[in-house]
Amino acid sequence: MLSSLSSTIRTVFIGPPFIRAGKAHADGGLSKLAASFDDCVTREQLTKRKPDTRLKAPMIRRPTTDEAEALALQALAFLASEPERIEPFLSVTGLNPANLRQAAGEPGFLAAVLDHIGSSDSLLLEFAGNLRLNPEIVADARRVLAGPEPDDFS
């Protein structure tokens, strides 16, 4: 098989340039080149593939509904751990500490928590950094809980 491959390569890649350049001999001028080609190229060199060294971004798996809910509850705990974090959330949502627990059971509440976290880059990066998460996971979890936006085709 290697000899037929070598013959094909000689015919296709080596033959025509020598003929066009006016260097054709009785055997097409290929006997010397063919011998040196066979000596230089081994089967391993022809079949060995170099490893792909390009950097590839890791695939991020979209969280399940349970994982998204767990992340949102962690985000709520993160907000509640510091008064300067929870107060803006309470003022935006119109909630107070007394009815926060009741509101947590409402549909859409956990998505609103992740919306609030994602609305501030510093808050998002701090939250994601504490959990050692890629910040994109927070946005993916929000999409899982709230459903896709009307123009979101992912």
Side-chain angles (χ1 to χ4, degrees):
M1 176 158 177
L2 184 60
S3 64
S4 66
L5 177 63
S6 177
S7 173
T8 302
I9 291 172
R10 281 191 298 257
T11 303
V12 173
F13 294 108
I14 299 175
F18 283 98
I19 294 169
R20 270 189 244 122
K23 297 183 179 182
H25 299 288
D27 64 354
L30 299 177
S31 58
K32 288 170 107 180
L33 287 172
S36 64
F37 182 81
D38 287 336
D39 292 339
C40 294
V41 178
T42 64
R43 173 176 278 161
E44 290 81 22
Q45 290 171 324
L46 289 173
T47 59
K48 185 188 241 182
R49 296 186 93 171
K50 293 183 180 179
D52 189 3
T53 57
R54 294 175 290 179
L55 294 177
K56 295 179 183 174
M59 293 289 294
I60 298 175
R61 178 181 62 81
R62 188 169 237 179
T64 65
T65 302
D66 290 340
E67 291 169 336
E69 288 174 353
L71 184 64
L73 290 172
Q74 288 177 316
L76 182 58
F78 170 76
L79 291 174
S81 68
E82 297 287 332
E84 58 271 359
R85 288 188 201 138
I86 195 69
E87 288 172 1
F89 177 72
L90 294 176
S91 68
V92 166
T93 59
L95 298 172
N96 60 46
N99 63 4
L100 183 62
R101 186 169 297 220
Q102 179 185 0
E106 295 293 319
F109 176 79
L110 294 178
V113 170
L114 294 179
D115 271 339
H116 181 75
I117 292 281
S119 68
S120 165
D121 287 345
S122 61
L123 195 60
L124 174 63
L125 293 175
E126 185 179 358
F127 174 67
N130 285 346
L131 295 178
R132 295 186 177 140
L133 291 175
N134 183 331
E136 292 177 23
I137 292 174
V138 176
D140 287 341
R142 185 229 153 262
R143 276 189 218 100
V144 167
L145 293 174
E149 296 291 328
D151 62 344
D152 186 10
F153 298 107
S154 59

